[in-house]
Amino acid sequence: MTENFEVLTLKSEIDQLMQTYFSVINSKLSKALKLFANKEGFGREIVFVSFQSDLDDYDMAQLSLPLDDKHVLVELGAPAVEVDQIAYLDFETFYSYLDRNVKTEIEKNPDDSELLDLLEKVKQTLNI
């Protein structure tokens, strides 16, 4: 995490950020869901989702708002953007993005029912 970042708050900006996240990690969606079910973050290359336990004291000190145990932090870095972008998502909002993306993947690959089982585990872990 860098010290210079833009906090996204507009739904349209967060939607774009999450679209980028899923396009980058989609081939590893199953792995990501397994980690999310344990409140562990996952990312690849330029985009990351972090839970509170993923960040050390230094990373937490860099944030303009502290990350609590009811939110995730989504970060998009260079070279995709000039200034790193972050968004704080409450668990319900984060889960809604997961749900939508998993259902889209199931439509493309109906045999991948493991994703639905993993999604249910994430839902339980996040108390939704």
Side-chain angles (χ1 to χ4, degrees):
M1 177 172 297
T2 65
E3 293 182 32
N4 298 321
F5 54 83
E6 173 187 6
V7 179
L8 304 181
T9 56
L10 296 176
K11 183 178 182 329
S12 60
E13 294 173 332
I14 295 170
D15 286 348
Q16 181 62 47
L17 174 63
M18 294 308 293
Q19 182 179 350
T20 301
Y21 179 78
F22 287 116
S23 69
V24 171
I25 68 116
N26 242 11
S27 66
K28 301 288 186 186
L29 184 57
S30 176
K31 179 178 182 177
L33 291 171
K34 288 175 186 173
L35 290 168
F36 298 156
N38 291 311
K39 285 190 176 179
E40 295 177 33
F42 181 76
R44 293 185 70 200
E45 300 169 20
I46 57 169
V47 66
F48 302 90
V49 165
S50 300
F51 287 83
Q52 182 185 41
S53 61
D54 294 319
L55 302 179
D56 61 21
D57 291 340
Y58 176 80
D59 288 335
M60 290 291 264
Q62 303 306 307
L63 299 174
S64 56
L65 296 170
L67 183 61
D68 62 27
D69 63 353
K70 303 282 187 216
H71 291 80
V72 296
L73 181 72
V74 184
E75 180 180 6
L76 177 64
V81 289
E82 288 185 30
V83 176
D84 286 3
Q85 297 177 342
I86 63 171
Y88 294 87
L89 302 180
D90 62 55
F91 286 169
E92 284 190 32
T93 302
F94 177 60
Y95 180 81
S96 71
Y97 284 108
L98 289 175
D99 184 64
R100 192 173 327 140
N101 191 265
V102 165
K103 288 179 178 168
T104 299
E105 284 304 304
I106 295 295
E107 286 175 13
K108 293 177 192 174
N109 303 300
D111 296 334
D112 204 353
S113 61
E114 177 197 26
L115 292 177
L116 290 175
D117 295 337
L118 292 170
L119 184 65
E120 183 58 33
K121 288 179 183 176
V122 173
K123 185 176 185 179
Q124 291 171 3
T125 298
L126 300 182
N127 295 318
I128 295 173

